Structure formats: structure tokens, C-alpha cells
Amino acid sequence: MPSGSSRETREAFRRRIRRTLRPTWLGSLRRTTPISTECGYDRGRPVDRYYIERFIQSNRADLRGRVLEVKEPLYTERYGDGATAIDVLDKDGGNPRATIVADLAGMPGVASHTFDCCVITQTLQYLFDVGAAIRELHRTLKPGGILLVTVPGICRVCPVKVAPDYWRFTASSCERLFGDVFGERQVTVESHGNVLASVAFLEGLAQEELTHAELDVNDPLYPIVVTVRAVKELAA
Ligand SMILES: C[S@@+](CC[C@H](N)C(=O)[O-])C[C@H]1O[C@@H](n2cnc3c(N)ncnc32)[C@H](O)[C@@H]1O
């Protein structure tokens, strides 16, 4: 029976053999600062946008009637053939595209049952009270209305001088957050990404530097983006 310390020594030896037989060549990634601090915008399109656009595109039929988007009507203009009216919300009154200046967590000027669809991409991490925003979105959706949300999972933090960045999300936290307001059966949550895409995204590489086959591998342990499609019950 080997003593505790000789067992430890054997395990340490095995680990060293593993490192020696399967060495990792970090190459140009052996650095403590990212390759780009622009999230990939200076090299192409950011990796997270691959998943965000794919999600919105695959749900494009939901962008119909009166649609709400935050900051600018990027995805509604691109994919919302069925949109008949577009509202742009921002808490920043200096945004010239904003038709509604309000905090998502409290929109007293917006009547209940206003929107057919709300497209809220990469915004909820900036709201400390995420639950209040989800309740407000539920309130302002028409019965049968649809909420399309994307939130960051594995992602660098936004500089505080740009905006306080409070949260990162998982599929489990989104299931609870949205399920508690819309009802569990009304909510579909998916995560997108894998370890290679996560490393590339953290380094600020662009999606053009990976292949579609690499980007499309889905490993739920490495979610770059979590997406939520929530439908307000007709009776609500
Ligand atoms: C990074 S942009 C994301 C929106 C854009 N649709 C996108 O996909 O990139 C974040 C926007 O959310 C706005 N914002 C941040 N906190 C907010 C809040 N509490 N209520 C409403 N808008 C907010 C910011 O002013 C900014 O215009």
C-alpha cells in the first residue's frame, strides 16, 4: 500500500508526463493582453455577432407588426420584413435614433400591450435589475407577442467609463429569469459557442478568422451568447 506522499508523487509524475506527451504550443496567444481590444471590429466582425445574427435570422418571422429594438433598428431593418412600425428605445436621451427614451427596467410612458415583438440584443448585462426589465418587457408586449433576447456568456467586460457592465448569463440563469415571468413553457433558451470561438472572441479576433464549421460547433460548457425566445401567453 503506497503511503499518501508516494501516491501524490506518482500523480504529480503522471501529470508531468501528460504535459510532456501532449504539449500545448500557445504561440502568438502567449501574451497577457488581447490581440485586439476592439472585440474584433478592427479585424472584421466580432465573433459573438455570428451567433446573434444567426439567432435573429432564424426567428425573422417573429419580427412583425410593431417592433421594439434598443439603440438602433439594426436587426429589424435587416430581417424584419413583416414589421409595420419600429420603435427604438434608449435610456440615453442623446441617441438621435431613439423614439422612446426610458430605462428598460421601468417604462411608465409605454402602455401595456404595445409591442408585437421586442428585440433586445446585448443590453440586459447593463441593467442591474434584470428581473424588472423582463417584467416590463412582458407587460408592454401584446398577448401572443414575442421577445427575442441575446445576452453575453463568455465575454470580456465593457470598460466602466463606457457603461457599468453588471452580468454574464448562463442557459440556467436565463431559464429561471424568463421562465419566472413568461412561464416555463413559453420560453426557449439556447447557448451558442465553443472553446475555440470563446478564446478567439476573448482575444478580439474576428469571426472571419474562424471557419463556419468551427463557429458552428456547439459546446454548452462554453456559451459565448445565450439566446431567449419568449412568447407572452394569449391570456396574459
Ligand atoms: C451595447 S448596446 C446594445 C444594443 C444593440 N441593439 C446591439 O445589439 O448592439 C447597449 C444599449 O443599451 C442602452 N442601455 C443601457 N442600459 C439601459 C437601460 N437601463 N435602459 C435602456 N437602455 C439601456 C445603452 O444606452 C446602449 O444604447
Side-chain angles (χ1 to χ4, degrees):
M1 190 78 181
S3 71
S5 65
S6 72
R7 244 201 322 267
E8 253 171 58
T9 314
R10 254 192 285 167
E11 191 43 44
F13 179 70
R14 270 193 213 109
R15 289 185 189 132
R16 185 149 61 84
I17 291 290
R18 227 169 270 144
R19 293 198 299 271
T20 312
L21 294 179
R22 290 192 284 156
T24 302
W25 308 114
L26 281 167
S28 56
L29 295 184
R30 188 172 284 280
R31 45 186 293 152
T32 57
T33 54
I35 288 165
S36 161
T37 55
E38 307 296 316
C39 300
Y41 278 110
D42 53 340
R43 302 169 70 91
R45 281 173 298 166
V47 172
D48 64 341
R49 292 286 154 181
Y50 180 80
Y51 303 111
I52 295 163
E53 281 161 32
R54 190 177 67 178
F55 168 68
I56 301 292
Q57 199 172 4
S58 64
N59 290 289
R60 62 190 306 161
D62 294 337
L63 276 69
R64 55 174 173 77
R66 188 166 177 184
V67 181
L68 176 76
E69 199 167 336
V70 175
K71 189 179 178 187
E72 54 186 342
L74 186 68
Y75 297 119
T76 312
E77 283 182 352
R78 194 178 298 169
Y79 301 116
D81 298 337
T84 52
I86 303 175
D87 286 286
V88 173
L89 178 138
D90 206 319
K91 73 165 188 182
D92 175 6
N95 180 349
R97 308 292 306 262
T99 57
I100 301 171
V101 175
D103 191 316
L104 259 182
M107 303 183 275
V110 181
S112 299
H113 303 177
T114 294
F115 304 114
D116 294 286
C117 179
C118 296
V119 180
I120 313 295
T121 51
Q122 306 306 95
T123 301
L124 295 184
Q125 71 272 26
Y126 299 114
L127 279 98
F128 191 77
D129 193 347
V130 185
I134 297 170
R135 288 190 293 278
E136 274 297 79
L137 288 163
H138 181 266
R139 180 185 69 77
T140 55
L141 273 171
K142 291 178 188 170
I146 293 170
L147 173 62
L148 299 177
V149 169
T150 72
V151 285
I154 296 169
C155 175
R156 71 149 222 208
V157 170
C158 184
V160 177
K161 62 176 190 274
V162 177
D165 188 350
Y166 297 111
W167 308 112
R168 293 294 173 270
F169 297 83
T170 63
S172 298
S173 62
C174 287
E175 276 161 13
R176 283 285 299 273
L177 280 165
F178 291 87
D180 284 356
V181 177
F182 282 80
E184 216 176 294
R185 288 167 24 164
Q186 301 300 110
V187 174
T188 309
V189 175
E190 288 169 343
S191 65
H192 310 258
N194 59 67
V195 68
L196 172 65
S198 298
V199 170
F201 186 42
L202 291 175
E203 286 288 354
L205 301 183
Q207 55 179 264
E208 290 84 348
E209 293 173 84
L210 298 178
T211 65
H212 279 243
E214 288 167 339
L215 286 161
D216 286 341
V217 172
N218 191 39
D219 181 345
L221 300 185
Y222 292 86
I224 293 179
V225 169
V226 180
T227 57
V228 182
R229 181 178 184 274
V231 184
K232 182 167 172 173
E233 272 188 295
L234 282 171

